[in-house]
Amino acid sequence: QEHSIQKVDKRKSAVKDNKTVSLPVKAVVQVTAKLAQSPLNASKIQTGALLNSTGVRKQGGLHKVMALDVTLKPRDARALGQFGWAALVPPDDEEESMRRWSEGYFNVFLSEQIPVDRAIPDTRPPGCSQKLVHDNLPTTSVIFCFVDEVWSTLLRSVHSVLNRSPPHLLKEILLVDDCSTKDYLKDKLDAYMSQFPKVRIIRLKERHGLIRARLAGAAEAKDALLSTKALIYLLSDVLTFLDSHVECNVGWLEPLLDRVYLDRRKVVCPVIEVINDKDISYVMVDNFQKGIFKWPLVFGWSTLSNDFIRKNNIKVSDPIRCPVMAGGLFSIDRKYFYELGTYDPGLDVWGGENMEISFKIWMCGGEIEIIPCSRVGHIFRGENPYKFPKDRQKTVERNLARVAEVWLDEYKEIFYGHGYLNLLNTNFIDIGNLTAQIQLRKKLQCKSFKWYLENIYPELEAPLLKAEGLVFNVGNRKCLVQENGFLSFAMCNLSKQSQHFGYSWVRTLRQNNTCVSPNVTGRGVALEPCDNSKAHLRWLHKSNKFLAEHLIAEAHHQRLCLEAGSKGDTIFLKACDASSSYQQWHFTHYYAQ
Ligand code: UD2
Ligand code: MN
């Protein structure tokens, strides 16, 4: 079994109206009390009280995390892919396996032959199986949204939850069908799932995209009980979202719920392990990794430094605080999810929602953690195996722009500056109405993005300007100065605020809120109020030149550069000339190139 556990350095990064139901409190208490007596809780070993991070005393006993796994002694031990081992396609079937690749952008052919309830190696780090969790943990609904998911992986996802979750904690499994087109996902799926009372299928009549599909799932996350008098809905305490091509590992659920129980503002993620797309093997990933992002809001993983681990005495099984989550797999207190205003429902189809919810959680008082004792395998795919209603790239860009506008404050310029300047140009893209999101942020009294960077993600390089200070001209050996609304030159003097300029990520050359622009003749310069949506205010500051960017874009124009007059202190635009020192400029400080 051991040799099937390979180490991988990094996972592929994942880039690429809700109803309130009144809750019959008594019924909930009765049900939990009944479940608490179930034999599953026999491992109770200690009773005590713990203080959670908000100082609330949590009563109740503790027990060793349950190692429930009905697949451990599989009846078909010799089946393909059993124990998470790599499976091989026989040479005769290679063609078929290749042909079927695009059904899911992984080896669909192999996956089909692997038992839907296969065993996988217990990849939890040492200590996890001995950890104590609370007896009276909250219950959860597990929500899988899918569109045209492959049959075998959808089933394996569901079976892994059924087989490896303590039944008293698993209220239900919701399958939210986001308007799939495949026939097998209709009657055949209904028939198959009807054998599991806990599995419910919700069909969306039109394509919602994963973000709104999750919201539909969350709104439905309740368990209907038929009492003598009425249909009673029991709401689960926690929502657990999973992708529809995963395998939950042994003991995955309790460590997640335990953290939420400790503090309902903790939003927790399992370690996402790799189900190899080619041989469907289950691959363990390295420890000590946290979710981060790089500009322009690209998700990735980063390993904690040895120094950090040593200084903070972090053990392999300790929760890891993450600036952002990957997006697909997490548990969140149901009420807290709604208090936070869920996801921005204006986000479309796929992408960016993980950034949105991560910023929202941290900036509005919550926390995001990866729980190393909870492990779930996921098939990382090279391509999305479903159609985007609109252009894929445009969809993701638009989502990210919404997130940047609502959450990034002045730092949004850094986002736009990394390849998304065109999103600023009015008429390029309609990112929709943001009023409700901005109001929500106010209502929740969320902290600033600056606070988030300083406290949650200090490693991120996020200088607000690319360059700033004095703007020195190599030709006249003087510095640019702004006086009474006009630009000219003066002897360089650091102490003069009138000589301080900034070059921003959105390529404006500015002093406070005033920006340098070409004047009406297109040959001189003027000053006007900065406005990031105005393309003519952008200057390409490259190899010490300032190129008027909007003119480059216009096909027949020659390239124009900022030039200092050789006589007098004038400044104008002239054809770019590599040999002219009067077209060469330096800032005192450069923060980024
Ligand atoms: C990652 C996340 C994914 C989501 C995405 C960004 C993990 C493991 N996965 O990409 O959950 O956060 O980043 O948005 O962290 N789906 C629908 N309707 C759609 C599109 C997708 O229901 O219109 C389902 C899909 O069937 C799948 C889930 O949403 O179960 C996530 O989609 P994905 O697997 O294509 O995303 P992934 O893993 O590339
Ligand atoms: Mn996925």
Side-chain angles (χ1 to χ4, degrees):
Q1 198 161 322
E2 289 294 83
H3 52 259
S4 73
I5 309 175
Q6 312 157 16
K7 289 244 171 181
V8 291
D9 280 327
K10 243 185 217 141
R11 287 148 287 196
K12 288 183 214 160
S13 70
V15 183
K16 357 183 221 244
D17 37 77
N18 104 72
K19 295 169 238 153
T20 37
V21 179
S22 60
L23 190 65
V25 175
K26 212 167 139 213
V28 176
V29 173
Q30 279 167 358
V31 173
T32 18
K34 209 166 76 199
L35 288 167
Q37 292 157 10
S38 78
L40 290 171
N41 269 0
S43 55
K44 184 191 289 189
I45 56 165
Q46 192 184 334
T47 305
L50 278 187
L51 277 183
N52 74 9
S53 56
T54 46
V56 180
R57 194 167 284 273
K58 292 289 176 188
Q59 292 292 344
L62 296 162
H63 63 270
K64 214 193 290 178
V65 67
M66 290 175 204
L68 279 180
D69 191 350
V70 303
T71 71
L72 276 181
K73 289 203 181 72
R75 47 197 148 71
D76 43 3
R78 297 195 337 185
L80 208 63
Q82 193 53 275
F83 305 112
W85 290 348
L88 262 180
V89 182
D92 282 354
D93 294 323
E94 242 160 43
E95 212 176 303
E96 188 181 350
S97 128
M98 289 307 284
R99 200 180 57 227
R100 299 194 55 198
W101 185 270
S102 60
E103 283 175 31
Y105 290 104
F106 63 93
N107 201 329
V108 175
F109 174 82
L110 265 188
S111 172
E112 210 160 69
Q113 297 171 49
I114 294 171
V116 288
D117 60 348
R118 71 165 171 182
I120 48 174
D122 178 353
T123 52
R124 292 174 299 174
C128 286
S129 60
Q130 301 304 311
K131 272 216 167 170
L132 300 179
V133 292
H134 289 84
D135 291 341
N136 42 345
L137 289 179
T139 61
T140 190
S141 296
V142 171
I143 301 172
F144 289 105
C145 298
F146 63 92
V147 55
D148 292 341
E149 184 59 62
V150 169
W151 177 255
S152 56
T153 40
L154 179 59
L155 261 51
R156 210 171 289 122
S157 304
V158 172
H159 279 282
S160 77
V161 172
L162 287 170
N163 286 337
R164 301 196 185 98
S165 311
H168 67 293
L169 298 178
L170 178 66
K171 189 142 261 183
E172 61 177 341
I173 297 176
L174 278 173
L175 300 180
V176 184
D177 176 0
D178 190 11
C179 210
S180 295
T181 59
K182 302 270 193 288
D183 272 342
Y184 60 79
L185 292 172
K186 305 204 165 94
D187 294 350
K188 188 176 165 197
L189 186 67
D190 284 343
Y192 188 91
M193 292 301 167
S194 67
Q195 59 181 313
F196 308 115
K198 282 195 178 172
V199 180
R200 235 167 12 111
I201 304 176
I202 297 159
R203 311 271 183 195
L204 302 179
K205 291 203 181 66
E206 56 182 42
R207 178 84 175 276
H208 279 44
L210 87 92
I211 296 126
R212 287 189 291 268
R214 278 183 196 156
L215 297 183
E220 279 290 335
K222 51 191 188 281
D223 179 25
L225 283 192
L226 213 46
S227 80
T228 43
K229 282 192 182 140
L231 194 63
I232 300 174
Y233 288 111
L234 295 183
L235 292 168
S236 55
D237 311 309
V238 173
L239 302 172
T240 299
F241 295 100
L242 297 176
D243 274 13
S244 51
H245 33 265
V246 299
E247 284 171 73
C248 298
N249 211 320
V250 58
W252 75 288
L253 186 58
E254 284 185 303
L256 295 178
L257 298 178
D258 199 50
R259 298 299 286 178
V260 179
Y261 178 76
L262 221 50
D263 186 336
R264 59 192 289 271
R265 292 172 308 182
K266 285 185 190 291
V267 179
V268 289
C269 311
V271 170
I272 308 180
E273 302 205 275
V274 175
I275 302 172
N276 184 288
D277 57 346
K278 293 178 195 70
D279 60 24
I280 318 295
S281 59
Y282 187 99
V283 187
M284 183 182 176
V285 301
D286 279 352
N287 291 317
F288 298 123
Q289 293 201 56
K290 62 177 178 179
I292 53 138
F293 72 87
K294 299 229 160 96
W295 299 111
L297 299 181
V298 179
F299 177 80
W301 275 284
S302 139
T303 309
L304 304 185
S305 73
N306 285 331
D307 218 36
F308 182 85
I309 294 169
R310 206 174 334 105
K311 273 198 195 121
N312 297 282
N313 191 23
I314 300 175
K315 295 187 287 302
V316 277
S317 57
D318 286 345
I320 299 170
R321 288 155 65 90
C322 296
V324 294
M325 65 160 92
L329 328 181
F330 66 99
S331 294
I332 185 167
D333 180 273
R334 190 179 51 78
K335 286 204 201 92
Y336 184 54
F337 186 56
Y338 284 103
E339 278 168 32
L340 280 179
T342 69
Y343 288 114
D344 166 7
L347 298 175
D348 256 342
V349 186
W350 185 97
E353 92 294 341
N354 56 330
M355 297 292 147
E356 195 242 357
I357 195 128
S358 299
F359 298 150
K360 188 185 285 181
I361 291 166
W362 280 116
M363 290 163 65
C364 314
E367 296 169 86
I368 299 170
E369 295 177 342
I370 285 181
I371 311 301
C373 289
S374 174
R375 314 190 72 97
V376 176
H378 169 261
I379 307 183
F380 289 87
R381 302 168 301 183
E383 277 174 70
N384 305 84
Y386 42 78
K387 289 211 172 68
F388 276 68
K390 294 182 196 129
D391 179 70
R392 181 197 143 127
Q393 194 188 330
K394 285 244 167 72
T395 304
V396 177
E397 285 176 1
R398 182 185 169 279
N399 286 353
L400 290 175
R402 282 185 76 87
V403 177
E405 287 296 330
V406 176
W407 295 100
L408 263 46
D409 303 329
E410 63 273 32
Y411 294 86
K412 69 186 176 192
E413 292 189 356
I414 311 181
F415 162 76
Y416 289 116
H418 281 80
Y420 285 127
L421 282 174
N422 53 1
L423 297 182
L424 286 168
N425 301 347
T426 38
N427 301 331
F428 181 81
I429 205 164
D430 177 14
I431 66 166
N433 191 317
L434 295 170
T435 322
Q437 300 309 309
I438 291 166
Q439 263 168 9
L440 175 76
R441 185 175 160 181
K442 264 203 207 106
K443 190 187 97 190
L444 295 174
Q445 299 182 336
C446 308
K447 297 194 178 75
S448 66
F449 198 71
K450 183 169 191 282
W451 174 89
Y452 167 85
L453 287 179
E454 281 167 359
N455 294 279
I456 309 304
Y457 193 12
E459 309 90 282
L460 183 71
E461 288 197 31
L464 277 170
L465 293 167
K466 287 184 96 168
E468 77 179 318
L470 305 180
V471 189
F472 176 73
N473 185 278
V474 178
N476 67 13
R477 309 197 62 77
K478 291 182 183 172
C479 281
L480 198 61
V481 63
Q482 188 270 127
E483 268 160 356
N484 309 319
F486 291 97
L487 287 173
S488 61
F489 289 93
M491 296 304 294
C492 295
N493 185 343
L494 255 177
S495 66
K496 290 247 163 80
Q497 280 307 307
S498 57
Q499 293 188 18
H500 279 252
F501 290 84
Y503 180 60
S504 75
W505 285 98
V506 299
R507 301 189 186 162
T508 55
L509 175 56
R510 69 191 182 202
Q511 188 168 79
N512 305 318
N513 292 319
T514 306
C515 279
V516 177
S517 78
N519 71 7
V520 278
T521 67
R523 294 287 156 160
V525 293
L527 290 167
E528 65 174 76
C530 295
D531 177 346
N532 286 345
S533 70
K534 294 198 169 141
H536 72 269
L537 295 181
R538 300 195 221 297
W539 301 89
L540 195 60
H541 183 41
K542 223 170 74 177
S543 15
N544 297 332
K545 294 189 176 305
F546 280 106
L547 280 77
E549 197 171 287
H550 72 294
L551 296 178
I552 305 174
E554 289 168 24
H556 300 294
H557 262 285
Q558 56 188 149
R559 301 183 150 217
L560 295 185
C561 283
L562 268 190
E563 183 171 314
S566 53
K567 298 184 202 96
D569 291 327
T570 55
I571 174 169
F572 45 85
L573 279 163
K574 216 167 167 193
C576 295
D577 173 1
S579 65
S580 169
S581 59
Y582 290 90
Q583 289 188 5
Q584 293 202 12
W585 309 78
H586 295 287
F587 274 96
T588 342
H589 300 287
Y590 283 87
Y591 301 103
Q593 280 309 314

